Every structure is written in structure tokens, then in C-alpha cells.
Amino acid sequence: MAFWTCPAHRACLFGLLAAALFAAAPALTEADASTSVRLLHITDSHISLVNESPPRSSRMHSAFVRTKHRDTKAHTTPQQEFARLVQIAREQPIDLVVLGGDIFNFPSNKTLEWVLEQLRVTGTDFVYVAGNHDWLLEGQRNAPSYDAARVPELSSTFRPLYEQSLASGGPCYNVLGHWTRPGAGIMYGCAIVKGLLMLFVDNSNFQVDEDQLEFVRVQLQHARPEMPIVLLLHIPLMLPGMDKPPKEICGHEQWGAANDALWQLEGRPKWPAGNSPTTLAFRELVQSQAAPAGQIVAVLSGHTHGDAAVNLGSSSSAQQGACSVRACRSFAVKSEGGTEQLVQSTDALQYVTSTASEGAYRILTVYFCGSTCLFCNPPLGPP
């Protein structure tokens, strides 16, 4: 547990419990129990009920016909694991199921209907952000761009998933005013869960555009100071400690056509020359608003098929913002289910959750103390 106090605001306590650092949850009072939110993060399920469009769907379907459970090594299937994982929302007090992309191997109405039925059975709200495989049916070499299918597929095949999600509407969109930019609720969106603001940004093409950047800026500007924010992405941001190749990271300095290792295998045009300025600006914005300087207490991502947790904020942003009036709040975050090496952090973390096709998941619990500067009093146990 790390604490930050401002000399000018000694009564204001900000507490961040980094993921997987403690076995026990903060000892909140009964009154505080209503100000905790439990998120079930499921990502990279890679479900396809049938090889729907051979040969273009064959590679991805064959790769995930059967899998092995990460822990038990027993043979299983993505469908079995997804059905098992969403049942956690019925068996435990889960407030929101967070679908982190690549739930599908390729766009499929039949598979989408099956996934929606599994979600309906849980009776728990969900949000969804797309992954790069969700909308890509391989073998589109003559397409105008590598991501040409993204918006058309998400706006048609996947529209029922967005329309039934908690991010399909709500008061968090009111701050946009007379917003005329396209993509709200699909390319970016928001939902409020028991006082927590969940933002999602679709970076499934490895980039973040101007509309997405401005949406997040507006949300951050208007969020109440006591409101914790969790950001949902599919592809993790390039941060210190993310030692991954360009194909697994958003904002990687070497991302671009010269290092596109998958364009032939996936049968699509190459990536563009490099990152857009808005992608890099988005990463800088998120880092600058990470706890303790800001209100972003966690980023949830997937894509790499492995667990990880790395510092989200920069030390400079923490030093500049930690003693602002907006730091007058108390948050704590706890992660369960990840297998990453334990890390100690004085910043918020970016969590990468491994593939649900092998039974992996993460439960993220965010504790906070309402609209005034209260003390959550979590135990100061050993890291």
C-alpha cells in the first residue's frame, strides 16, 4: 500500500493498492462496502463456433479449436472457458463484466449471438472493446488499408453487442454536449458503475485517433474529483517495463510498415509508416492523469496472451500533480487472477490479462470513499 499526503491538505489521503501486492482486501467498514466496484476482465477468448468462411477463416479457427487450460493443463475449448468465466459473475459479487477484445476469431453473427446469450444468463452488466481479430476476416490484400474492415464490421456485425452493453448510453455522455464526432459507443465510450467511471477506447488497429483522444480529454476534464477512472483498451500501451515487439504494443516506437511481421500471414495491407501523433498524445495524456497525480487508477488490456502489470504514470507527473486539490480523495485497487510477477508501485498500473481461451481472467476491485476526503483505512500489511 502506498500513501500520498499533501502538506496543504493533510486531511486528504490517497491510497493505491497495486495489483497482486496483497492477499487481503482493504478492511472497509460496512458503510464503505457500497463504494467498492468489482470488475471481471475477460479478454482474448478467440471463439469461433464453426469455420464459417473458409479458407479465410480457417487459420484462426484451427488455431483455437481446442486449447489447454493454463493452470490444470486439461484439454478445453474457448467456448467452454468463456461460459465458465462468465459464470463467475453469477457466483461472486461482480458489478461489471469487462470484455477486452478478441473475444471472437473473426466477425460472425452466429458466434456473436452465442456470446450474447452467455452474457444474458449472468444477468450482469457488461462493456466491450474490440480486438484486432474481432473485425478482421483474413485475406483482404486488396483492401484500401490494413484496418479497412474495422468500422464497417463493428458498426454492423457487432452492433448488437454494443447496443446491449452498459456503454450504450448513460449520464457520462452528457458532458459531451453537442458532440457531432462519429464513433461514440463503438470506437470509444463510457459507463458509470457505482461511482466509478469506466472509459473504453478501441485501439484494435494499434492507433488512437483525434476523436478518441478528444473524448478522453473531455471525460477527464469533467470527471468529479472523487471519481476513480478505469480505462479499457485491447492493446496495452508502450510503457517502461513492456518489453514486447511492435505487434503487441500500442505506441511502440518501431511500429510501422517496416516492422509489420504479420501482413502476409493475415493477408492484408501493411501498417502505415508509423504511429500517428494522436496515438502518442493519448499515451502521454493517460500517463499524466494516472494516480496519484490524476484519477486513472488502472488500465485493463489484453492482446499479448500473457499477464503483466507495469507502472502507468511517470514520476514527473506524480510529483507535479500529487499535491493538487484534485488529489483530495482516497482510492485503493486490488487485482486477483493474474500470474504476473509481483511489483511494488507508487503509481497506478497497466494490467495485461492473459488469454481467456485458456481459462485466464482478472478480477479488479476498486475501493473508494465517496465524495468527501475520508479514510478507507486499508491494512498496512507487507508487500
Side-chain angles (χ1 to χ4, degrees):
M1 174 66 66
F3 295 93
W4 298 267
T5 57
C6 303
H9 305 281
R10 290 294 184 185
C12 300
L13 171 67
F14 178 88
L16 174 66
L17 176 56
L21 287 183
F22 302 93
L28 301 178
T29 67
E30 184 176 349
D32 290 326
S34 63
T35 53
S36 65
V37 178
R38 284 168 60 83
L39 310 173
L40 172 61
H41 187 217
I42 301 172
T43 185
D44 297 272
S45 292
H46 288 284
I47 303 169
S48 51
L49 299 184
V50 295
N51 187 8
E52 197 164 300
S53 303
R56 295 171 63 189
S57 59
S58 298
R59 186 182 76 88
M60 289 302 299
H61 179 74
S62 298
F64 292 95
V65 169
R66 294 187 67 82
T67 58
K68 282 188 177 182
H69 192 278
R70 180 186 65 179
D71 300 326
T72 67
K73 308 306 178 185
H75 289 287
T76 185
T77 68
Q79 296 95 299
Q80 288 176 317
E81 292 308 311
F82 186 82
R84 182 184 66 83
L85 291 175
V86 295
Q87 284 302 307
I88 295 175
R90 298 188 68 182
E91 299 165 356
Q92 299 187 34
I94 298 296
D95 296 299
L96 187 68
V97 176
V98 179
L99 302 178
D102 280 359
I103 304 301
F104 308 86
N105 271 326
F106 45 80
S108 165
N109 290 309
K110 184 175 182 179
T111 302
L112 185 136
E113 291 173 3
W114 182 88
V115 166
L116 278 174
E117 182 57 31
Q118 306 309 305
L119 293 168
R120 290 189 195 103
V121 170
T122 70
T124 304
D125 289 327
F126 72 90
V127 295
Y128 162 76
V129 69
N132 53 301
H133 287 290
D134 290 333
W135 47 263
L136 179 64
L137 184 61
E138 296 183 350
Q140 302 186 34
R141 292 181 183 275
N142 296 323
S145 68
Y146 74 112
D147 59 351
R150 177 172 169 239
V151 172
E153 287 288 359
L154 297 182
S155 301
S156 56
T157 304
F158 292 90
R159 181 168 290 276
L161 194 58
Y162 292 109
E163 291 178 341
Q164 296 182 41
S165 80
L166 189 62
S168 62
C172 59
Y173 289 100
N174 294 342
V175 301
L176 299 179
H178 299 290
W179 185 268
T180 59
R181 304 183 186 219
I186 296 179
M187 306 310 295
Y188 48 87
C190 59
I192 297 176
V193 187
K194 295 168 61 177
L196 177 144
L197 178 60
M198 168 67 70
L199 301 178
F200 79 82
V201 171
D202 180 345
N203 67 343
S204 61
N205 66 343
F206 294 84
Q207 299 294 285
V208 175
D209 65 25
E210 178 60 39
D211 294 342
Q212 294 171 314
L213 175 61
E214 183 61 20
F215 172 78
V216 174
R217 280 176 175 160
V218 171
Q219 290 290 337
L220 291 172
Q221 289 169 359
H222 289 86
R224 298 193 312 271
E226 73 277 2
M227 177 177 280
I229 299 171
V230 173
L231 174 63
L232 173 64
L233 307 171
H234 175 62
I235 302 174
L237 297 174
M238 183 66 197
L239 299 169
M242 291 298 297
D243 185 18
K244 297 290 184 180
K247 67 178 182 178
E248 297 187 7
I249 299 293
C250 175
H252 196 292
E253 62 181 5
Q254 296 179 2
W255 186 86
N259 293 303
D260 188 349
L262 297 175
W263 72 279
Q264 289 181 310
L265 182 65
E266 295 180 345
R268 55 163 175 77
K270 282 187 175 184
W271 297 331
N275 291 298
S276 66
T278 51
T279 298
L280 303 181
F282 174 77
R283 182 183 64 185
E284 292 174 2
L285 174 65
V286 172
Q287 287 186 281
S288 71
Q289 294 301 312
Q295 293 169 248
I296 299 177
V297 297
V299 169
L300 288 172
S301 62
H303 185 63
T304 68
H305 290 206
D307 288 317
V310 297
N311 288 349
L312 177 60
S314 63
S315 57
S316 59
S317 66
Q319 292 169 359
Q320 292 169 6
C323 288
S324 69
V325 175
R326 289 179 64 85
C328 187
R329 52 191 176 267
S330 179
F331 305 142
V333 179
K334 180 177 184 246
S335 173
E336 305 165 81
T339 60
E340 64 272 357
Q341 183 178 356
L342 301 185
V343 295
Q344 186 167 5
S345 174
T346 56
D347 292 331
L349 298 180
Q350 172 175 262
Y351 303 94
V352 185
T353 302
S354 191
T355 172
S357 68
E358 298 176 356
Y361 69 96
R362 186 184 301 275
I363 295 177
L364 197 75
T365 307
V366 180
Y367 304 89
F368 52 107
C369 294
S371 60
T372 57
C373 296
L374 303 176
F375 290 86
C376 278
N377 296 323
L380 294 177

